């Protein structure tokens, strides 16, 4: 598979945002779910990640999802499709609502990791990753200036997953 990388320096006031990149990556996951999906962010919110109000993704999502979808919903769909979900966050009250909703939405357990010093921001599937300065929050998507790299690169994604597994699951 060929590799592709793009770094985006967001400035929502100027119209440069990462929303479509995140949406595209997650829709690609829905089409071909990865065995393992990692979400690592000190702070995370249940942000809107897919907008299907115009039904352009009906062939992927079906008629039940003719609306906007939140991060917890997409993660739950992926887990029900066989992906093992790993989430790493700071033990911070900000994350409580997201984690509670994710637990209620999921049909199977997910791996939850907490780290006081966590500062990395990454979401990583089997063949792709998004990483950079952006927390997966409303402010990260809609307000803050961020630097975010989107990469379609199976080798880089595999190395990232190995690094995350080593950090959060221990040496294997």
């Amino acid at each position: 598979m060929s590799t592709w990388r793009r770094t985006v320096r967001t400035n929502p006031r100027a119209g440069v945002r990462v929303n479509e990149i995140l949406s595209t990556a997650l829709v690609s996951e829905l089409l071909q779910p990865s065995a393992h999906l990692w979400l690592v962010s000190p702070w995370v919110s249940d942000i809107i990640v897919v907008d299907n109000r115009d039904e352009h993704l009906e062939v992927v999502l079906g008629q039940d999802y003719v609306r906007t979808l939140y991060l917890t919903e997409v993660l739950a769909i992926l887990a029900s499709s066989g992906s093992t979900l790993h989430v790493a966050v700071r033990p911070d009250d900000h994350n409580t609502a997201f984690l509670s909703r994710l637990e209620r939405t999921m049909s199977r357990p997910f791996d939850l990791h907490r780290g006081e010093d966590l500062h990395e921001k990454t979401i990583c599937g089997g063949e792709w990753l998004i990483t950079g300065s952006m927390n997966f929050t409303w402010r990260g998507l809609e307000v803050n200036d961020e630097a975010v790299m989107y990469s379609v690169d199976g080798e880089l994604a595999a190395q990232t997953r190995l690094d995350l597994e080593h950090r959060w699951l221990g040496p294997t």
Side-chain angles (χ1 to χ4, degrees):
M1 173 180 230
S2 62
T3 63
W4 182 86
R5 284 193 189 123
R6 168 108 194 261
T7 299
V8 177
R9 286 178 174 74
T10 68
N11 183 320
R13 293 169 301 288
V16 180
R17 300 170 26 174
V18 74
N19 304 49
E20 292 302 318
I21 292 171
L22 180 59
S23 179
T24 299
L26 291 171
V27 169
S28 77
E29 270 303 296
L30 292 168
L31 288 168
Q32 185 173 355
S34 300
H36 294 270
L37 182 70
W38 280 87
L39 171 63
V40 180
S41 185
W43 298 280
V44 63
S45 303
D46 205 10
I47 51 179
I48 293 172
V49 292
V50 176
D51 185 352
N52 189 39
R53 290 176 293 184
D54 64 0
E55 302 179 40
H56 70 284
L57 296 171
E58 183 178 354
V59 70
V60 176
L61 297 169
Q63 292 181 341
D64 293 338
Y65 297 102
V66 179
R67 57 184 173 76
T68 56
L69 280 80
Y70 290 86
L71 183 55
T72 54
E73 294 176 288
V74 173
L75 295 175
I77 293 167
L78 291 169
S80 69
S81 298
S83 290
T84 299
L85 177 62
H86 307 272
V87 177
V89 296
R90 281 191 179 191
D92 188 277
D93 288 343
H94 172 88
N95 298 319
T96 302
F98 172 81
L99 294 172
S100 294
R101 185 161 184 205
L102 185 59
E103 287 173 353
R104 286 191 312 273
T105 308
M106 296 284 286
S107 60
R108 56 187 270 206
F110 63 96
D111 292 330
L112 176 60
H113 312 280
R114 291 186 171 96
E116 281 288 335
D117 299 323
L118 173 62
H119 194 67
E120 179 177 356
K121 295 98 173 174
T122 299
I123 187 167
C124 182
E127 298 291 326
W128 62 272
L129 71 131
I130 296 173
T131 190
S133 64
M134 182 189 76
N135 287 298
F136 294 90
T137 63
W138 180 81
R139 288 190 62 83
L141 284 176
E142 302 292 339
V143 177
N144 298 340
D145 291 350
E146 306 282 0
V148 179
M149 182 190 70
Y150 176 43
S151 179
V152 179
D153 181 337
E155 288 182 24
L156 181 60
Q159 183 62 56
T160 300
R161 285 191 317 278
L162 284 173
D163 294 344
L164 293 169
E165 289 170 11
H166 187 269
R167 178 176 180 190
W168 296 105
L169 302 175
T172 54

